Amino acid sequence: MTTHRRDIPALPDLVFAAAAEPQRLAEWLPPPLDVVGLADDILILRHEGRLTQVRLSADLDHLRLSWESLADPTRRGTLTVSPLGAGRSVAELEVEPDDADFAERLLDALAKEVEVAFTAG
């Protein structure tokens, strides 16, 4: 599994909040993903016209968000946010199956959401 990285000019807590809070998650997930609903720890997504259920697991102590498709457990991923120093963070994303374009789109969308939500002034 390949780790994809993105430096983000914001504190790790803010980056993780943007990634993990359901209301924010619905704002930044790029097309063709669309959040349809959330029930407990199950996120319901529309992807290319089909509904998909994904189990989310957030580890607040380690700023790690993991997910796994309920229909296909081989489709999963983990996002970890770490401090980079001076108010910066690094977001590291692993997805299975590995799809570099999709991973980069997710990280770009997350960085943009953080910029709009927390650093625009």
Side-chain angles (χ1 to χ4, degrees), residues 6 10 18 25 29 40 42 48 72 74 76 86 92 106 108-109:
R6 172 73 188 253
L25 185 64
L29 280 178
D40 296 323
I42 305 297
E48 298 176 350
D72 182 359
T74 65
R76 59 183 178 235
E92 297 179 271
L106 284 175
D108 288 346

Side-chain angles (χ1 to χ4, degrees), residues 14 36 103:
L14 299 178
V36 175

Side-chain angles (χ1 to χ4, degrees), residues 8-115:
I8 301 175
L11 295 171
D13 307 15
L14 299 178
V15 175
F16 188 75
E21 290 177 4
Q23 299 82 2
R24 292 204 186 277
L25 185 64
E27 295 295 320
W28 69 266
L29 280 178
L33 297 175
D34 183 33
V35 175
V36 175
L38 180 70
D40 296 323
D41 62 345
I42 305 297
L43 183 67
I44 304 165
L45 299 171
R46 181 175 295 115
H47 180 254
E48 298 176 350
R50 295 180 311 162
L51 293 180
T52 303
Q53 295 182 7
V54 177
R55 181 177 312 279
L56 295 176
S57 174
D59 180 343
L60 299 175
D61 292 331
H62 297 102
L63 300 180
R64 183 176 302 125
L65 178 67
S66 301
W67 63 92
E68 178 179 276
S69 168
L70 295 183
D72 182 359
T74 65
R75 300 188 71 78
R76 59 183 178 235
T78 303
L79 174 75
T80 305
V81 181
S82 306
L84 197 57
R88 300 182 64 81
S89 303
V90 61
E92 297 179 271
L93 178 64
E94 296 178 339
V95 291
E96 277 191 42
D98 189 32
D99 181 341
D101 288 337
F102 178 66
E104 293 303 320
R105 285 184 35 235
L106 284 175
L107 289 172
D108 288 346
L110 174 59
K112 185 175 182 177
E113 173 62 21
V114 170
E115 179 181 351

